[in-house]
Amino acid sequence: MAVAGVAVGQEHPDPRWRVNISPYVWAKSTEGKLQGAGLSSPIHVPFSEAFEKVEGVFMGEVSVEGARWGGYVDYQGTDSRDERRVMGLPLEADIRLRSLTGAVYYVAHEEELGGRTVHGAPRLFRIRPLAGARWSRARADLAVPGLIEVGKQAEWTDIIVGVRTDADLNARWKLTGHLDVGGFDPGDRFSLNAHASLGYRTVVLTRPALLRVGYAVLFQEYEQSDFTGDRFVWNMTGHGPTAGVSITF
């Protein structure tokens, strides 16, 4: 299982700045292509194998919100292992991915839907454009046991733009969505991050909270040549159901 974060800030009757802390889990299927130091391997880790192939995870998001402006910082870290046969040879791939995303957003459209939520705020529909950056570091260690072992690491930063939306369905339930794109150079460097979730308002640790379930997709494409002429290729798509909680302070 991998974790990833998708947290959309919560409403609160107090218009002052507030902080949302949002841990979450992403039951992710991963597929794509990995190439480094002359070795290339297709990667395919279905959801049914995610529990046994992921060796470490840590992810979460913190957001700060005011009446019109807000921002968030999201960290994702996963260590996983894949084993398969390529051209008749066993190939082992140890993959470590770290990413840190930061963005600011602005309430461009806000519409009252009537009534109030159980947390005392008006029911709203909001559209919030966002802009920021995503730093990524990918390391791949590829090995044909007994023959060759190679390692390759790359770091890159993409400017991202996107939008967040949320709509209060009733006093308890809330629908949220997020879409951002970055890189803007398909074929060498591009990313797309999208997720949607359905949230249920409750109280956690005496604070307003939103329990969420949803679905997320993250596509990353990055290619780079080093001084030896070797090509590093990171072309990965992760997708699957998500679950988490956002607690407002």
Side-chain angles (χ1 to χ4, degrees):
M1 174 184 290
V3 263
V6 186
V8 178
Q10 298 196 189
E11 80 290 351
H12 195 278
D14 191 331
R16 295 175 300 179
W17 291 87
R18 58 215 178 257
V19 176
N20 304 310
I21 298 177
S22 307
Y24 33 80
V25 177
W26 188 9
K28 179 173 65 171
S29 296
T30 303
E31 53 194 64
K33 178 183 179 182
L34 178 61
Q35 177 180 318
L39 289 179
S40 178
S41 173
I43 301 296
H44 180 62
V45 182
F47 169 71
S48 59
E49 300 177 10
F51 290 93
E52 60 187 79
K53 292 193 174 183
V54 169
E55 299 176 341
V57 291
F58 179 79
M59 300 186 186
E61 180 180 292
V62 176
S63 63
V64 179
E65 293 191 335
R68 303 297 293 183
W69 289 89
Y72 69 91
V73 175
D74 177 88
Y75 176 80
Q76 303 181 10
T78 58
D79 297 336
S80 61
R81 184 179 182 86
D82 191 25
E83 299 177 1
R84 60 185 57 253
R85 299 189 72 84
V86 177
M87 299 181 63
L89 296 175
L91 183 64
E92 299 176 353
D94 289 311
I95 304 168
R96 289 180 286 280
L97 176 64
R98 305 289 183 267
S99 69
L100 184 67
T101 304
V104 295
Y105 48 78
Y106 174 76
V107 179
H109 175 76
E110 183 175 282
E111 179 181 346
E112 292 197 10
L113 301 177
R116 289 186 171 269
T117 72
V118 295
H119 295 152
R123 291 179 53 237
L124 299 173
F125 168 68
R126 295 184 297 177
I127 299 176
R128 293 175 287 177
L130 65 89
R134 178 184 296 110
W135 168 85
S136 300
R137 182 177 67 195
R139 178 169 180 84
D141 293 305
L142 301 173
V144 177
L147 292 179
I148 185 173
E149 294 183 11
V150 298
K152 193 75 173 180
Q153 177 174 298
E155 295 185 25
W156 67 96
T157 301
D158 291 332
I159 300 300
I160 63 170
V161 295
V163 63
R164 285 185 166 186
T165 63
D166 55 89
D168 297 317
L169 303 181
N170 57 34
R172 285 280 186 183
W173 293 95
K174 181 176 184 177
L175 186 65
T176 62
H178 175 109
L179 173 68
D180 70 66
V181 295
F184 308 108
D185 186 14
D188 285 322
R189 190 163 169 172
F190 184 74
S191 67
L192 184 148
N193 177 36
H195 50 79
S197 65
L198 180 65
Y200 178 79
R201 292 182 179 85
T202 185
V203 175
V204 174
L205 302 175
T206 73
R207 304 301 305 173
L210 189 71
L211 303 179
R212 295 172 291 107
V213 294
Y215 199 89
V217 177
L218 174 62
F219 170 75
Q220 286 186 302
E221 180 180 50
Y222 179 76
E223 296 192 20
Q224 175 194 68
S225 295
D226 61 22
F227 69 96
T228 68
D230 285 327
R231 192 78 169 160
F232 178 82
V233 176
W234 176 271
N235 191 321
M236 296 289 178
T237 300
H239 59 92
T242 63
V245 58
S246 295
I247 305 173
T248 300
F249 294 90

